[in-house]
């Protein structure tokens, strides 16, 4: 199998991030749903300090959800993640009422801490691998900020007419995901495109990648 065939057949691991949180959420009936809020995929609005034994590793900024994958301060099998949903995208979850977190309503839903970060907008904090997962989730939630509005600095430029859906970035490695489900992984000055688009268009997208020094807040040209 050629490298190009392999890249089409193998989905990037970041595609599955947050899937469990979304499946467990109760989504409002489409006929009753008020207008959904949105995020700018090129602006990070959330951050998590070092709390609960974790530090931020990967940020994902999407139109309707922004996420943070956290890594243990010390090597181990523990994991943690934060998923912040835009207004009116996720309904209220059934769960055990918890003390407010920084004045925000909180519920324990069995495995996750749910925090209403603004009216009708929910954040989910998941911690696994500790005997005190719940208290660590509360510690992470208490350190979350929801008003950062930090433009993402991308060390590449790309030429395309496709609409951006989300951005994932981990220490300089960037993945651009478009609304047509094409993914462009950017690393070491090159791009690897995968997804349901003609081979020629994926190749053209890859060839358009250029390193940007200094990094830019709008990678499209």
């Amino acid at each position: 199998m050629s490298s190009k065939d392999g890249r089409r057949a193998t989905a990037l691991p970041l595609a599955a991030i947050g899937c469990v949180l979304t499946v467990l959420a109760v989504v409002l009936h489409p006929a009753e749903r008020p207008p959904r809020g949105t995020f700018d995929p090129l602006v990070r609005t959330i951050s998590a300090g070092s709390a609960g034994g974790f530090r931020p590793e990967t940020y994902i900024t999407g139109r309707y959800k922004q996420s943070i994958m956290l890594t243990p301060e010390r090597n181990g099998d523990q994991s943690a993640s934060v998923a912040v949903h835009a207004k009116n995208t996720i309904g209220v979850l059934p769960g055990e009422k918890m003390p407010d977190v920084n004045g925000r309503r909180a519920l324990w839903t069995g495995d996750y801490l749910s925090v209403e970060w603004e009216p009708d907008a929910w954040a989910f904090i998941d911690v696994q691998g500790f005997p005190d997962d719940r208290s660590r989730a509360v510690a992470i939630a208490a350190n979350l900020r929801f008003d950062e509005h930090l433009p993402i600095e991308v060390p590449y430029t790309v030429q395309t007419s496709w609409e951006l859906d989300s951005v994932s970035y981990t220490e300089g490695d960037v993945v651009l995901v478009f609304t047509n489900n094409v993914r462009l992984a950017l690393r070491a000055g090159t791009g690897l495109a995968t997804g349901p688009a003609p081979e020629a268009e994926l190749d053209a997208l890859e060839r358009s990648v250029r390193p940007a020094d200094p990094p830019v807040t709008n990678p499209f040209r």
Side-chain angles (χ1 to χ4, degrees):
M1 178 185 292
S2 70
S3 60
K4 285 185 179 293
D5 290 338
R7 76 184 184 189
R8 310 299 182 223
T10 303
L12 294 174
L14 289 175
I17 289 176
C19 286
V20 174
L21 295 178
T22 302
V23 170
L24 288 178
V26 178
V27 181
L28 297 175
H29 190 280
E32 301 171 354
R33 181 183 295 156
R36 292 195 295 179
T38 59
F39 298 114
D40 183 343
L42 289 172
V43 176
R44 176 164 64 85
T45 63
I46 61 172
S47 66
S50 295
F54 292 92
R55 59 180 174 80
E57 180 180 41
T58 299
Y59 287 93
I60 305 172
T61 56
R63 290 181 175 274
Y64 302 108
K65 180 176 69 175
Q66 298 211 351
S67 305
I68 306 173
M69 305 304 296
L70 301 132
T71 189
E73 292 284 4
R74 299 179 180 179
N75 292 333
D77 295 330
Q78 299 86 2
S79 64
S81 63
V82 174
V84 176
H85 294 260
K87 187 179 181 69
N88 294 325
T89 56
I90 297 295
V92 180
L93 298 177
E96 173 190 347
K97 181 175 174 54
M98 295 278 290
D100 289 355
V101 177
N102 294 338
R104 298 180 171 93
R105 180 162 59 133
L107 300 169
W108 184 255
T109 61
D111 295 311
Y112 308 98
L113 177 66
S114 306
V115 176
E116 192 175 27
W117 66 276
E118 68 172 30
D120 301 317
W122 290 87
F124 301 95
I125 299 90
D126 172 35
V127 177
Q128 297 184 21
F130 292 99
D132 58 344
D133 288 346
R134 184 186 299 209
S135 62
R136 289 176 184 270
V138 171
I140 292 172
N143 281 271
L144 287 176
R145 290 182 59 92
F146 304 98
D147 58 353
E148 292 290 63
H149 303 294
L150 299 174
I152 298 169
E153 295 185 345
V154 182
Y156 306 92
T157 61
V158 183
Q159 189 169 9
T160 182
S161 61
W162 293 334
E163 185 178 16
L164 183 66
D165 186 66
S166 68
V167 180
S168 303
Y169 49 104
T170 306
E171 298 179 353
D173 291 346
V174 178
V175 179
L176 304 179
V177 182
F178 300 93
T179 56
N180 62 355
N181 293 322
V182 168
R183 306 171 65 86
L184 178 65
L186 300 165
R187 184 177 187 182
T190 62
L192 177 65
T194 60
E199 187 81 14
E201 295 182 19
L202 295 174
D203 289 341
L205 181 63
E206 291 179 350
R207 289 195 302 271
S208 76
V209 174
R210 298 287 185 275
D213 187 13
V216 294
T217 56
N218 183 358
F220 301 107
R221 52 184 169 80

